[in-house]
Amino acid sequence: MTDSVTVIGHGIASGTPDIVVLRFGAEATDDNPSDAFTAAGRAITAMVAALRAAEVADADLQTAGASVNEWHEHGTTPRYHASQQLTAVVRDLAAAGAFVGQVIEAGGAAARLQGMSFSVADMAPLTRAAREAAWHDAVDKGGQFSELAGRNLGAVRRIVEQQETGYVPQMARRALAMESSAGMPVEAGENKVAATVEVEWALAD
């Protein structure tokens, strides 16, 4: 008779987001690569200044991905497309919608909103809660199987956590150019963290 039972438990914990991650960009096109790069950089600088004026901390601002690419149609003079990205972590969700309009207005025609997602600054409590839920699920399954087999659960032989996290962001699906400083509606929804654990018990009489 089998002397052990192995089951997989699943657990999910949900939490209300308390930060929003805004991903901006700046794009500029010109006949001169230097001018295109300068225009994109000028827009990013203005957008950073707008975020700082809104009291977003320097530690929550990050620029990246500066590039200049040549493109042209057959028989035409080459033109140059420059771009750069800016990520901002906003910890005041109520003000996030207004931030978007203000930052885009500061960046001008070169500014883009490339995405928005929500998260929880401290994921540790959610992770612990998801693991606990997964454990209880495993215990419930193990108890049922042992009962069906006419046995009792004995000592735990093995515990293996399977790395699995679930995240449900609310995101913009495409880059947008905006012309107004008006705020945009922001609904944070919720974040979910999933945990999976494999547990093996010895079976006792």
Side-chain angles (χ1 to χ4, degrees), residues 4-16:
S4 69
V5 59
T6 302
V7 299
I8 295 177
H10 302 280
I12 295 177
S14 301
T16 301

Side-chain angles (χ1 to χ4, degrees), residues 48-58 60-61 89-92 99:
V48 169
L51 286 162
R52 285 174 173 159
E55 299 184 348
V56 176
D58 285 350
D60 291 331
L61 299 173
V89 177
V90 177
R91 301 180 186 276
D92 182 356
F99 283 1

Side-chain angles (χ1 to χ4, degrees), residues 25-28 37-49 86 103 106-111:
E27 300 179 5
F37 184 79
T38 298
R42 185 181 300 116
I44 287 291
T45 298
M47 295 161 78
V48 169
L86 167 65
V103 174

Side-chain angles (χ1 to χ4, degrees), residues 74-94:
H74 181 69
T76 64
T77 301
R79 289 174 64 79
Y80 298 89
H81 180 80
S83 65
Q84 189 172 359
Q85 285 73 51
L86 167 65
T87 300
V89 177
V90 177
R91 301 180 186 276
D92 182 356
L93 267 64

